[in-house]
Amino acid sequence: MDKNYQFFLKANIDSYLGQWIAICNEDIIAHGKDVKKVFEEARKKYPQERPLLTRVPDKETMIFHF
């Protein structure tokens, strides 16, 4: 399993509800409502890396796992 994904599963992301986040080297390096801007900011900070981009669900979102 990718180390950035493992970080995402364990990280406290409550302050990013409803936003996109970029994770690189086990750190949240960019966040915001516009995925394109988040990706561009992440690439500027770490041009040689491939960040994990994910949207943090809103508080009301229900996720089912079967």
Side-chain angles (χ1 to χ4, degrees):
M1 190 181 307
D2 179 81
K3 66 181 180 176
N4 289 319
Y5 182 67
Q6 289 178 351
F7 171 82
F8 169 71
L9 294 176
K10 296 176 185 175
N12 180 358
I13 54 174
D14 291 344
S15 59
Y16 304 106
L17 293 177
Q19 296 184 48
W20 287 91
I21 59 173
I23 300 172
C24 190
N25 297 327
E26 300 178 80
D27 190 23
I28 297 173
I29 59 168
H31 64 92
K33 297 279 184 181
D34 185 329
V35 67
K36 185 175 179 183
K37 289 180 182 178
V38 171
F39 179 74
E40 289 171 355
E41 184 180 340
R43 293 296 288 173
K44 284 180 186 177
K45 290 181 179 178
Y46 293 89
Q48 302 300 322
E49 299 289 332
R50 186 174 182 181
L52 170 68
L53 287 173
T54 187
R55 186 174 183 281
V56 179
D58 294 322
K59 199 169 195 169
E60 294 82 29
T61 302
M62 293 185 90
I63 299 173
F64 295 95
H65 185 279
F66 297 96

